[in-house]
Amino acid sequence: MIELKNVSKIYGKKDSRFAALENINLQLPESKTIAVVGKSGSGKSTLLHLLGGLDRPSNGEIFIYGQNLVKLKSREIDLYRSKVLGFVFQSFFVEANQTCYQNVSLPLEINHVLPRKRRQMIEKALSQVDLSDKIKSKAGTLSGGQKQRLAIARAIVNQPKVILADEPTGNLDSSTGDRVIDLLFTLHDQIGSTLIIVTHDIDIANKCDIQVFIKDGHIEKVSK
Amino acid sequence: MSWRDIIKRSARSLRQAKVRTLLTAAALAVGGFTLSATLAAANGAKAYGNKLVDTNFDPSSLIVAKSKDLISANGVATKPQLYNSSFVSNGVKGGLVQELNQKDLNRLATFPGVLNVFEPYTSSLLYVSRQGSLKYTGSIEAYDPYITHQFVAGTIKGQVPVGDVVLPEDYLSLLKFKNPKTAIGQSVNVQIRQLLGQQKTETYKIIAILSSPTTLISGNINTTLLVNAVQAKSIYDFINQGTINYDRYLIATVRVKDGTNPNKLLITQRAIEKAGYGAESAKDAQATITQIVNVLQIIIIVFGLITLVASFFGVVNTQYISVLERTREIGLMKALGMRSSSVRWLFIVEASWIGGLGAVIGSLLAVVIGTLLNPWISRQINFSNSKLLIFEPSQIIALIIFLIIVATIAGLLPARKASRLNPIDALRTE
Ligand SMILES: Nc1ncnc2c1ncn2[C@@H]1O[C@H](COP(=O)(O)OP(=O)(O)O)[C@@H](O)[C@H]1O
Ligand SMILES: [Mg+2]
């Protein structure tokens, strides 16, 4: 269960005060696919950053699997990010001059996975995103869709409980984007993790179990 | 992230920026090169100094002169002395000085720990010659059985017998000997002249040929014939008879029992000095040379360190740029839960790698170039068969470690910047 209670995120002070999120109350069940939908600037990324522990809310509390993120120390937040979460970003953020193997290896290194256990996990993750033949290729040589699949392999190699994807198809053409979305859904079924996708594409949103609509920092509606 | 992974990742980042890495390392390599060459040159100079002292001084003996002010310059005055009518030593730089006499020599033998007192009775000869040869200049003095002499032919057990002579190698061809072996047993004439008139010729049998020393402080040994002490004294007395130089000796060598033990040597030295004599050990002579070398070394090391300061800022600069270039990568690593301290170490270790690389390149170049040029340099500065550059592996390892530490310190600030990056800001650079 993921729960937000009275969460606000306010930037600036006094005259320049700006509420990117205001009084958000939300309950999301585990192991479902959830779409966060809204126009650009509505606060979707801000919400995702709060859930990902990359940022702290100005007010309110965030419970994920019973843990109050707001109360965690920085070491515990790091552990939460490396053990519980998998991130997928709009602009991939793969290391162009490292091989696919090395890219996927990063979360395992951060997690202190023993070196002899890594290879098997990396090979499995790469085969799940259909990049087994690119294991030794430099990430810079991949196409956009392949890069995003590589990023997905990196996100799932740790078997995370929650996958956070911020506009994962934003930099891809529609057919490549569809393939990436299909892949995310397939992996969600295989791993059983909670999948939260930020998007402004209503077709993608409709494929999810739950849609959270955001407008100007407020929740407009939640459909199931 | 484990140390292993941090070290591997930082090395990989450097490999991916080869040119930048090598250029920064090159800056450090210059410092490493200078410092290792300096250390090697100082080693060489010290070794040369020690060799000079070893071949010219006996470590277990003291050089003694009549007064304290006459030492450090082998019995020569280093500052004006109050004149005394007993002063002698004409023609010696420093003016007349008070000299030792036989009574002093006998007294010196009574000091604690003294094994014997050796006086060389050095005299100038009129000339040295042989039947059918030209006449050559030379000097003569007593053979010191306690000093290890290098002979190219012949052997001596204990003292040189009266009537025999040890001939320096340089005279061989002048006196028309075909080779050292054939000279043994042959006779040689020395002409001596009294300061007040008479001359006489003495004829000696050659017992051994002294090899020319390669390293000399005073160059006269190649022209000094060695005979039995009794004979040397009689020549000295003959030459100086009736003059003020008679029974006057500039310096004497006092040999100390177990004198290689510095404490025993010092006890005797102090006792002799307390009695008003001047005394100097080989170590004192060595210390003077070592001091000169040390001062030179410090000067060059300071220059080496200045180059290092430049390299230091080179590393700081490179690492700052590296952090800026890799803002997104850092943001991603932190977003994935990498600890700030691990990020910091990643960049620190990167700087250490650069330091190690530069240090190894620099010192390796110094060793290779130094070893190749050593014979040439030695010839140029008339170092004979001594090496100017002596590379000590332990020093080089210490230097490499030092440069790694310098580069690591240079990496601290940029690494701190990297570790403090906010992952959201870093990832927003879309
Ligand atoms: N660090 C910040 N300082 C000030 N305003 C910010 C900051 N980050 C985001 N915002 C503002 O918050 C709003 C929501 O941003 P974001 O969550 O990125 O929107 P979305 O992802 O829905 O497009 C935007 O108006 C944005 O300009
Ligand atoms: Mg966004």
Side-chain angles (χ1 to χ4, degrees), chain A:
Chain A
M1 175 93 136
I2 299 173
E3 192 174 8
L4 286 83
K5 283 186 181 167
N6 275 325
V7 170
S8 299
K9 179 70 195 179
I10 291 153
Y11 291 113
K13 275 174 189 161
K14 291 185 179 168
D15 290 351
S16 62
R17 183 182 187 278
F18 176 79
L21 290 175
E22 202 150 27
N23 279 327
I24 302 285
N25 286 291
L26 193 60
Q27 291 192 354
L28 300 168
E30 283 169 35
S31 306
K32 298 281 183 194
T33 55
I34 298 141
V36 179
V37 198
K39 284 188 196 145
S40 180
S42 55
K44 309 182 295 293
S45 292
T46 305
L47 178 66
L48 210 69
H49 290 158
L50 292 180
L51 289 174
L54 292 172
D55 214 347
R56 288 175 187 265
S58 310
N59 282 305
E61 290 177 321
I62 303 169
F63 293 93
I64 294 190
Y65 299 100
Q67 262 185 326
N68 188 350
L69 278 195
V70 179
K71 294 246 167 75
L72 294 186
K73 298 193 181 84
S74 89
R75 166 183 288 277
E76 293 162 331
I77 292 270
D78 284 336
L79 274 178
Y80 161 71
R81 283 211 291 267
S82 64
K83 296 232 186 284
V84 180
L85 298 184
F87 280 103
V88 180
F89 302 93
Q90 180 175 349
S91 21
F92 324 138
F93 293 133
V94 293
E95 286 307 319
N97 42 24
Q98 293 179 12
T99 64
C100 291
Y101 183 94
Q102 288 162 348
N103 267 285
V104 180
S105 170
L106 179 60
L108 301 180
E109 291 172 33
I110 291 173
N111 255 327
H112 293 273
V113 174
L114 291 178
R116 57 189 156 82
K117 290 190 180 162
R118 289 179 198 164
R119 174 158 285 277
Q120 194 214 337
M121 295 170 80
I122 294 168
E123 280 169 356
K124 185 178 169 209
L126 282 172
S127 88
Q128 281 176 304
V129 300
D130 203 13
L131 280 178
S132 294
D133 52 332
K134 299 284 184 189
I135 188 161
K136 282 180 183 155
S137 307
K138 290 263 158 91
T141 66
L142 302 181
S143 70
Q146 288 173 325
K147 278 181 187 153
Q148 195 58 304
R149 273 149 55 203
L150 176 61
I152 292 170
R154 185 179 62 198
I156 59 161
V157 69
N158 265 335
Q159 305 274 332
K161 287 207 183 84
V162 181
I163 298 174
L164 302 175
D166 193 349
E167 307 203 31
T169 61
N171 280 4
L172 302 173
D173 62 61
S174 59
S175 66
T176 320
D178 288 347
R179 195 170 161 207
V180 164
I181 291 297
D182 288 346
L183 178 64
L184 279 173
F185 280 104
T186 313
L187 290 172
H188 164 262
D189 292 342
Q190 285 173 10
I191 305 171
S193 55
T194 309
L195 173 63
I196 302 180
I197 304 180
V198 165
T199 181
H200 46 242
D201 182 332
I202 196 69
D203 291 335
I204 295 176
N206 286 334
K207 290 184 187 169
C208 294
D209 304 326
I210 299 167
Q211 292 85 29
V212 178
F213 292 92
I214 296 194
K215 193 182 175 189
D216 298 338
H218 296 278
I219 292 186
E220 212 176 22
K221 90 179 156 174
V222 177
S223 10
K224 298 193 183 180

